[in-house]
Amino acid sequence: MSNLFSNLLAMSIAGSVVVGLMLLLRPVTAKIFPAKWQYGIGKMAIAFFLLPVSLIVGKVSFVLPKTITPRHPSGTPPMAIPEALQPNGFVDAVDTLMEKHLPAAMEKHLSLEVMGAVLLIWFVGAMVFAGWHFYCYRRFSKRLLENSIPIPEDTAAALLSSRKAALGVHGDVKLMLNHKITSPMLVGLRHPMILLPASSISETDLKLVLTHELMHLKRKDLWVKVLALIAGTLHWFNPFVHVLRKDVSIWGELSCDEALASEMSHEERKHYGEAILNALDNHSGMNTAFYSPLCESKKHIKRRLIRMLNVKKTKKSIMVLSVAAILAIGGTGLILAASSTGNDINNVIDASSTGNDIDNVINVSADKQNDSNIDVKYLWPVTGRNRITAAYGNHMHPVKKEMVFHNGIDIPAPEGTPVLNADKGTVAEIGDNETDGNYVILNHGGGIQTFYSKLFGFAEGLAEGDTVQQGDVIGYVGSTGVATGPHLHFRLIIDGEYTDPTSAFASEDWSDDWVRRPGD
């Protein structure tokens, strides 16, 4: 549930940033960049509203921390860290700071009930928005079908065939007459159809009309409008997406004019402008999300004609500048999308001083009961570091951002801190994997095993089959595998089943402050 909410929010923020930058730069870009560039930025904004780009960035930041972490094979000890240089004071300062600000931080996190209510409101709003537009589309389609008749095989049909061949448009395109409209339009996604008004149109004007509508079909402009409508449905609460829908419609027409006018002489452009003026109509308030008209309304006609008459070949310097602007705007959207979900690299690195997602840790009762079948005799594995940041049980994973079962406890400590054997036993396995990083498994007899992972390295000479005494150093704290910072991940396994490790220690060995409560 929280994943859906955070990803939707990230998509909305990223799309809004792109639209905001597009509008902010419009006074400059509209003068130097072609209409095709403006239309392209609009399509990029639609992609940001529809695609969870934050997940892509999150995957990158998920990998990077692991690739920069030193790993030491068995038998190679890590570099010794003098006690005076270990950042104990800094960690303690962070602990104090977080303790003071923890209540405020927790207030920022929505409860499951509030999150559910927010998602319900969003879902109802999206359904109402989608339902209304579906109703409008059905009514629109019915009106068109009731009042449209096929055009007989005459000059218009032959002209349509020749214009399709000239533009490289393939597939069947119907040509229909409709006595309820006064301006030509293109409708239909899977079965495109060009509707012509019942009034007579000269052959020259008809050629321009068909070329214009077929250009829309070739560029799949109707699909762009549908995607903009889907974005509006998902982000109905965001005013930027509705501004974008209108903007895409306007610049779609301008860029279509630009594409056609670039191949015309000045006289042909003037005639094309006259054809647009002759087709002026508001289509009785029809929703232009469902069709592409030759001319939508009088509001933008002046700018449309001026831009069409002054179309010039784009210079190479302008093309380079336009590409740079697209990359800058798109990059800004990606960065903010990543930061809005908390998966950016800086957040991962900044969390290393605590070893886990501190904002999620809260106090639990100190009256922890020993519910296992072993004696409370185990030695705490990290001397002087008795704080637990992630307890045994279900909680929100700090990297994956989803509810998972935590089969052990996490004990944060500076990288290189010695890890001690909890009880006498035999080394059953030494290895590493993508999730746990460097790990050691010890057998203690009676079906009991202890598991130590995220290690920076292993104790020198440690090998499988060795007998180790309680308190022996077996490795060093690290952040290998999937981790947001240096810590020891410790598990207790009895008869093949995971058990709460705190049940094996005396209550005074570990602190119940800052423990993440199961279910958080």
Side-chain angles (χ1 to χ4, degrees), residues 210-412:
L210 294 178
T211 304
H212 178 93
E213 301 303 346
L214 288 173
M215 180 62 74
H216 277 305
L217 180 62
K218 181 179 180 180
R219 302 190 323 162
K220 303 187 184 304
D221 288 336
L222 282 180
W223 282 103
V224 174
K225 288 188 173 186
V226 169
L227 291 175
L229 185 61
I230 295 174
T233 301
L234 291 176
H235 305 275
W236 58 268
F237 54 88
N238 189 334
F240 280 101
V241 76
H242 303 295
V243 172
L244 176 63
R245 289 179 56 219
K246 178 183 269 189
D247 195 81
V248 163
S249 180
I250 293 172
W251 287 100
E253 290 298 325
L254 292 176
S255 62
C256 185
D257 291 342
E258 182 181 82
L260 294 176
S262 62
E263 304 295 331
M264 296 179 178
S265 66
H266 187 72
E267 287 300 319
E268 288 174 327
R269 293 180 188 181
K270 289 177 62 178
H271 192 86
Y272 181 43
E274 291 173 358
I276 292 175
L277 290 172
N278 292 336
L280 276 176
D281 182 46
N282 60 9
H283 300 296
S284 304
M286 291 182 184
N287 192 328
T288 55
F290 310 133
Y291 70 98
S292 182
L294 176 66
C295 186
E296 183 176 336
S297 66
K298 300 178 181 179
K299 185 176 181 180
H300 303 288
I301 192 64
K302 182 178 179 180
R303 177 173 59 171
R304 186 173 175 183
L305 293 175
I306 292 175
R307 292 188 68 96
M308 181 193 64
L309 292 172
N310 292 281
V311 171
K312 298 178 182 179
K313 187 176 181 179
T314 306
K315 298 180 180 179
K316 289 185 178 180
S317 58
I318 297 298
M319 291 179 62
V320 172
L321 184 60
S322 65
V323 171
I326 289 176
L327 292 176
I329 294 174
T332 303
L334 280 173
I335 291 172
L336 289 181
S339 63
S340 64
T341 57
N343 286 332
D344 58 313
I345 296 174
N346 287 333
N347 283 351
V348 175
I349 295 177
D350 290 343
S352 64
S353 61
T354 59
N356 261 298
D357 185 5
I358 286 296
D359 283 344
N360 288 334
V361 297
I362 58 175
N363 293 335
V364 297
S365 172
D367 298 327
K368 188 77 176 180
Q369 300 297 322
N370 178 7
D371 55 0
S372 72
N373 58 359
I374 65 175
D375 297 330
V376 181
K377 62 177 182 178
Y378 279 37
L379 179 70
W380 189 253
V382 187
T383 303
R385 299 287 168 178
N386 63 344
R387 201 161 52 81
I388 297 175
T389 52
Y392 177 86
N394 294 318
H395 68 77
M396 182 66 67
H397 195 284
V399 175
K400 298 178 181 179
K401 303 301 180 184
E402 60 185 26
M403 293 299 294
V404 297
F405 176 74
H406 195 240
N407 53 16
I409 58 174
D410 289 348
I411 307 169

Side-chain angles (χ1 to χ4, degrees), residues 160-178:
L160 174 64
S161 180
S162 66
R163 298 318 300 158
K164 284 176 59 181
L167 292 175
V169 176
H170 305 287
D172 184 36
V173 181
K174 291 184 179 180
L175 196 59
M176 308 281 284
L177 282 177
N178 190 300

Side-chain angles (χ1 to χ4, degrees), residues 155 159 163 201-211 268 271-272 274-275:
T155 305
L159 191 56
R163 298 318 300 158
I201 302 178
S202 67
E203 184 174 342
T204 304
D205 284 355
L206 181 59
K207 178 181 178 181
L208 292 172
V209 165
L210 294 178
T211 304
E268 288 174 327
H271 192 86
Y272 181 43
E274 291 173 358

Side-chain angles (χ1 to χ4, degrees), residues 80-90:
I81 302 176
E83 185 68 26
L85 297 181
Q86 291 186 3
N88 297 351
F90 174 74

